[in-house]
Amino acid sequence: RANTYRLRDLVRMTNAEPEVVQENGAVFIVNALFDCELDNNDCELKVEAATVDSNFYYHIHNHVYFEDGVRKRDSYRMFGIRLVAFTTGFGKKTSLAQIVLQISS
């Protein structure tokens, strides 16, 4: 049961083309699904990943400076990967009090 995933594994889980992601950036959603049987202290973990946007996830940074009295600007576009992470869990536990309450009503 892994709790750490490499970025290349998450990209592979989304079926995105690594070359396109590297060139343009992307937004991925990662959801960790827990299904727990609390009577046995047992939890199953499943990780799902999907592509939200695979075109042009970038940040623009402008550097303005003066050179020989002339105002100049360098514009930097930095492409990257944004991960939006969620966790969803379902837990089940047997309760004798709830069973008696359901049978008696």
Side-chain angles (χ1 to χ4, degrees):
R1 297 192 318 179
N3 63 0
T4 305
Y5 294 90
R6 292 183 179 199
L7 187 57
R8 70 175 165 211
D9 293 335
L10 293 174
V11 172
R12 182 182 48 80
M13 290 166 118
T14 63
N15 295 324
E17 295 293 330
E19 296 81 19
V20 174
V21 171
Q22 184 176 1
E23 185 69 27
N24 298 326
V27 179
F28 295 141
I29 185 168
V30 180
N31 192 6
L33 301 168
F34 288 93
D35 187 15
C36 298
E37 185 64 51
L38 299 174
D39 291 329
N40 302 331
N41 292 330
D42 181 40
C43 282
E44 294 294 324
L45 170 65
K46 179 181 174 185
V47 176
E48 295 177 345
T51 304
V52 176
D53 187 12
S54 61
N55 292 322
F56 307 111
Y57 177 72
Y58 59 89
H59 173 73
I60 298 175
H61 172 74
N62 294 317
H63 176 68
V64 179
Y65 60 96
F66 289 90
E67 187 175 285
D68 298 326
V70 178
R71 182 175 183 239
K72 295 186 176 184
R73 179 184 73 183
D74 292 336
S75 184
Y76 298 96
R77 290 181 184 231
M78 296 169 271
F79 294 87
I81 295 174
R82 180 178 184 182
L83 295 176
V84 180
F86 292 98
T87 302
T88 305
F90 298 99
K92 297 175 274 245
K93 183 172 177 102
T94 305
S95 171
L96 183 60
Q98 290 295 322
I99 291 172
V100 170
L101 181 65
Q102 287 295 321
I103 291 174
S104 66
S105 58

